[in-house]
């Protein structure tokens, strides 16, 4: 078997020894920690670290760096095909966090990107192994270098506060672990220093300081290379990265990465660089100007005495440039100059009125000066950019750099200039990660990091408390520790949608964000940040894939409800706010109601309310907003405060009650003819879907009866015609007509919804019917809990309990690997000895009541390849999202509507109306 460097070695002990040697020599052999299995400690060889070095088994000296984390090799195991040249080694006890760091050190700002693994270790159970074997998913074909599975964090500092940036790096030990292109997979000198990537002028100016303070060397990357690499990555990999901004209206633009080039990139930092980009690594700097962000900040500081860039921007929001700028109307007596298309309010001369006014500097309002200066610089940048676009016949111009800062006036001014001079032919577009292009490009310059292979479906952006920008008007240092987050939230007092608090203090030794994001205090109120752009944490999940059965993934839009309508947005925010107290009660109860849980519950409520307040103020602050995004944000916020399953005890209770009556239901179904049974099954799914703790109407129902009583009441009211009533078409497809029996489906994917009656009395009997007809059934459930939704981890136990009373379910569950005591028979069955079609369970890759089919688990994507029927059940998956989705195969969408607003908007009906929509496969 080949070693990590290609040399032959004997086995796992030698393999680990070789890995330990390379780690302690500061090589960068980082291995993927997913799907950890583990073996006995007796097969592991480990060494303790010391500064002086010690002898390896061959007697040679091994130097150990004190600055780099040592790998924990206990219970290590080679994963996959042992005959591979470079098989993956799994380290079940490695403690996460070898971080990687890159910087863009500009004249005004330091932009910093760091990567941390922090990903939960996946559980490799027997069910997963069996499912993967049946679906043909293999772990043997892994890369010989690490695919980054973790998080990208974005932070910024003012360059004048470089020492605080260094404190921040040191406090998080970001300089201790890195991907080093020079040392990758090679044997380097034992005393080689750590190297971090950086770009910008400060990479040269402050190199000695980094060496002195952190003991690291800066490897300098070309600034233009980094800007272009960062922009190309963002435009191809982030779904809602680019947007237009005109007259205060922000609209996100989906860029087809196959039609991205050529474009003009205008990076506005201290100065301005204008770059024509023709492809990956293909670009030329075609122009620029020395009048940029540094000009605005420098002149603004001289003229207004402002102490920060953001303070200067905030002043401009309250300014009136007409008191300083000479306008067309001032020249023409208040009239337009319509002949050449100039309105009376057009600026004829920036600061022109200061010529004739007999005023001194102190006679002018700082607010007016700031706005006049902002517009002067922005208009000129916009005009110069358009003229360069005109030179090369380009229609798309992307603006980046921290001068823009998500500031509405700035973007509107640039957009107006481009539109005015191009007469609407060219379009100004902006980037959400506008200031991080260079830092991201520097990060990508680390070789073999896997970023170049990532696609848009591999990235999930989340907005935790403690990201560089956070929910509501809460600002401060990045918060990682749970107690720190709770203490932070307890400082705040919520009054309506305004959150007030004293200016926070950072931990000793670091201010976290260099003071740049810590706003100035106005009494007890934190001022609103001038920036309307929030940058979250990018989660890199290489195992996510696009659902292969979507007819047109590029045109697919999961969200059915359009939250760009402010009234619609306000309504759903009210719904979420009203549901919040009940959710907190359930979350606290799930943790036994202890004081710690109450503290966390209160902190969660404040944090989520802050997010809602921020989004009410600026709906597009976190990117394009849909109802699915809101619901996922709530679940992520729960998990952030360590409420991993708020409805755990409720789900267990409802599952037990439903399983108790399942045998009688199955007996009743078996005495019906085919047509009656099929209708009863669909009625059962719709009736059972009433159980949804996310619906206020359903929560009220729970106070009026038990789960079985409500289910029976719902069944009794199942009267056709339903609001969406395609049952007869579906019945003909299943049972045929005029004596002709149709061919059964090969494989059906059943996207299940809630625990309890929904899955046990609704979806399991429907799955049983499909199994009876010879159709393989795959139950698709959440990877993580959300409200009372059933998860993929919970389903096997539910199926096993149901299978005790049903031979059809038992045989199918055995074939699908869901019954642990039948695993031996199952594995034999996989070789062709099974007489039953399998019932399998896969996770969908999400932890939300909704599902975005552009990002699903590799398990689900593999299961979908041979499926010819998709059944989406429940409001979240079939109505809130995917109601308009079209598939390459047949689809059945089933749901009971439990929200009056949704009923009116979607089906022009009422609460408790039923949806049974069947869509045949499109003609090939």
């Amino acid at each position: 078997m080949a070693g990590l460097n290609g040399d032959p070695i004997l086995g796992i002990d030698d393999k680990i020894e070789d890995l330990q040697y390379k780690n302690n020599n500061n090589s960068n052999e980082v291995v993927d920690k997913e799907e950890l299995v583990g073996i006995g400690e007796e097969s592991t060889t480990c060494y303790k670290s010391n500064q002086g070095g010690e002898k390896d088994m061959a007697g040679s000296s091994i130097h150990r760096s004190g600055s780099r984390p040592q790998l924990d090799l206990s219970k290590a195991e080679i994963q996959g095909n042992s005959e591979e040249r470079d098989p993956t080694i799994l380290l079940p006890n490695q403690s996460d966090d070898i971080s990687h760091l890159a910087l863009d050190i500009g004249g005004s700002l330091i932009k910093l990107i760091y990567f941390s693994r922090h990903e939960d270790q996946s559980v490799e159970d027997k069910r997963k192994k069996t499912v993967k074997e049946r679906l043909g998913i293999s772990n043997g074909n892994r890369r010989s270098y690490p695919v980054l599975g973790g998080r990208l964090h974005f932070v910024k500092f003012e360059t004048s506060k470089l020492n605080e940036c260094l404190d921040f790096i040191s406090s998080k030990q970001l300089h201790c672990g890195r991907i080093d292109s020079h040392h990758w997979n090679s044997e380097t000198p034992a005393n080689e220093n750590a190297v971090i990537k950086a770009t910008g002028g400060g990479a040269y100016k402050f190199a000695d300081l980094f060496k002195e303070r952190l003991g690291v060397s800066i490897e300098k990357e070309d600034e233009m290379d980094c800007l272009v690499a960062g922009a190309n990555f963002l435009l191809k990999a982030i779904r809602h990265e680019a947007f237009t901004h005109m007259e205060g209206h922000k609209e996100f633009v989906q860029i087809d990465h196959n039609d991205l080039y050529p474009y003009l990139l205008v990076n506005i930092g201290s100065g301005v660089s204008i770059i024509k980009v023709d492809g990956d690594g293909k670009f030329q700097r075609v122009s620029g100007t020395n009048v940029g962000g540094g000009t605005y900040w420098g002149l603004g500081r001289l003229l207004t005495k402002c102490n920060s860039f953001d303070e200067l921007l905030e002043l401009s929001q309250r300014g009136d440039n007409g008191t300083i700028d000479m306008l067309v109307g001032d020249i023409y007596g208040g009239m337009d100059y319509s002949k050449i298309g100039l309105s009376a309010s057009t600026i004829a001369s920036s600061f022109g009125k200061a010529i004739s006014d007999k005023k001194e500097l102190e006679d002018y309002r700082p607010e007016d000066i700031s706005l006049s200066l902002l517009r002067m610089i922005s208009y000129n940048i916009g005009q110069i950019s358009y003229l360069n676009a005109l030179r090369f016949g380009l229609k798309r111009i992307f603006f980046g750099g921290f001068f823009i800062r998500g500031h509405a006036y700035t973007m509107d001014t640039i957009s107006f200039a481009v539109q005015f001079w191009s007469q609407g032919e060219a379009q100004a577009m902006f980037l959400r990660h506008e200031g991080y292009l260079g830092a991201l490009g520097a990060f990508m310059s680390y070789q073999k990091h896997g970023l170049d292979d990532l696609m848009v479906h591999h990235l999930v952006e989340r907005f935790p408390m403690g990201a560089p920008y956070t929910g509501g008007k809460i600002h401060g240092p990045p918060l990682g520790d749970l107690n720190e987050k709770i203490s932070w939230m307890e400082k705040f007092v919520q009054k309506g949608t305004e959150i007030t608090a004293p200016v926070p203090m950072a931990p000793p030794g670091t201010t976290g964000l260099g003071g740049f994001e810590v706003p100035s205090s106005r009494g007890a109120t934190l001022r609103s940040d001038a920036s309307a752009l929030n940058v979250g944490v990018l989660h890199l999940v290489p195992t996510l894939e696009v659902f292969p059965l979507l007819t047109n993934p590029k045109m697919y839009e999961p969200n059915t409800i359009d939250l760009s309508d402010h009234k619609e947005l306000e309504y759903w925010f009210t719904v979420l706010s009203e549901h919040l107290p009940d959710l907190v009660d359930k979350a606290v109860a799930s943790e036994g109601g202890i004081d710690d849980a109450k503290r966390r519950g209160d902190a969660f409520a404040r944090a989520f309310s802050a997010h809602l307040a921020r989004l009410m103020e600026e709906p597009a602050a976190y990117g394009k907003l849909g109802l699915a995004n809101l619901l996922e944000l709530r679940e992520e916020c729960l998990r952030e405060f360590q409420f991993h399953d708020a409805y755990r005890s409720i789900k267990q209770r409802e599952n037990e009650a439903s399983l108790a009556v399942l045998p009688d239901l199955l007996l009743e179904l078996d005495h019906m003819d085919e047509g009656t049974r099929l209708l009863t099954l669909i009625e059962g799914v719709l009736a059972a879907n009433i159980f949804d703790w996310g619906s206020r109407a359903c929560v009220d129902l729970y106070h009026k009866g038990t789960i079985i009583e409500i289910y029976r009441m719902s069944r009794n009211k199942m009267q056709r015609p339903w609001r969406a009533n395609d049952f007869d078409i579906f019945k003909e497809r299943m049972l045929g007509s005029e004596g002709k029996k149709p061919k059964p489906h090969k494989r059906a994917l059943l996207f299940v919804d809630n625990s309890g009656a929904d899955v046990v009395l609704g979806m399991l009997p429907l799955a049983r019917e499909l199994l009876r007809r010879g159709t393989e059934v795959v139950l698709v459930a959440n990877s993580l809990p959300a409200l009372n939704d059933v998860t993929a981890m919970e389903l096997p136990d539910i199926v096993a309990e149901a299978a005790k009373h049903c031979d059809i379910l038992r045989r199918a569950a055995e074939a699908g690997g869901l019954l642990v005591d039948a695993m031996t028979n199952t594995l034999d069955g996989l070789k062709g000895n099974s007489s039953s079609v399998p019932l399998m369970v896969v996770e969908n890759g999400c932890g939300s009541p909704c599902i975005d089919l552009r990002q699903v688990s590799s398990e689900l994507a593999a299961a979908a390849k041979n499926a010819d029927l998709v059944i989406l059940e429940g409001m979240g998956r079939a109505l809130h999202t995917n109601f308009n989705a079209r598939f390459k195969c047949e689809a059945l969408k089933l749901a009971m509507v439990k929200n009056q607003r949704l009923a009116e908007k979607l089906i022009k009906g009422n609460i408790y109306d039923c949806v049974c929509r069947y869509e045949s496969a499109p003609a090939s």
Side-chain angles (χ1 to χ4, degrees), residues 49 152-153 351 450 472 509 529 582 890:
S49 171
L152 275 180
H153 304 258
F351 289 87
D529 184 18
D582 184 73
E890 296 172 53

Side-chain angles (χ1 to χ4, degrees), residues 576-597:
L576 291 174
S577 297
E578 289 178 348
H579 181 247
L580 193 54
D582 184 73
L583 178 57
V584 172
D585 287 345
K586 297 294 185 297
V588 172
S590 72
E591 302 285 332
I594 59 177
D595 289 342
D596 173 69

Side-chain angles (χ1 to χ4, degrees), residues 701-717:
L701 275 178
Y702 279 102
H703 299 302
K704 298 177 182 177
T706 66
I707 183 171
I708 301 305
E709 289 171 341
I710 298 169
Y711 171 71
R712 286 173 178 156
M713 175 198 72
S714 183
R715 281 290 300 270
N716 292 336
K717 292 184 177 181

Side-chain angles (χ1 to χ4, degrees), residues 12 22 50 66 78 87 171 237-238 295 331 342 379 440 509 533 536 547 585 606 634 753 768 780 793 821 849:
I12 182 69
K22 290 186 176 296
N50 62 45
I78 293 178
S171 69
I238 309 298
T295 313
I331 300 173
L342 298 178
Y379 275 136
L440 186 56
L533 280 183
F547 189 59
D585 287 345
R606 292 179 185 277
R634 180 181 63 186
D753 190 11
R768 177 177 178 262
V780 184
M793 286 292 289
D821 57 355

Side-chain angles (χ1 to χ4, degrees), residues 268 291 321 325 327 343 345-348 350 371-387 399 403 409-421:
I268 314 173
V291 179
N321 65 302
D325 292 341
L327 309 180
S343 68
S345 61
T346 301
I347 298 173
S350 293
L371 181 58
S372 177
L373 188 60
L374 177 66
R375 289 193 168 178
M376 178 184 77
I377 293 171
S378 299
Y379 275 136
N380 277 273
I381 292 172
Q383 183 178 10
I384 292 169
S385 301
Y386 163 67
L387 291 174
F399 291 86
F403 168 71
Y409 284 174
T410 309
M411 292 186 290
D412 274 352
T413 304
I414 292 173
S415 296
F416 178 83
V418 171
Q419 184 186 52
F420 178 83
W421 290 109

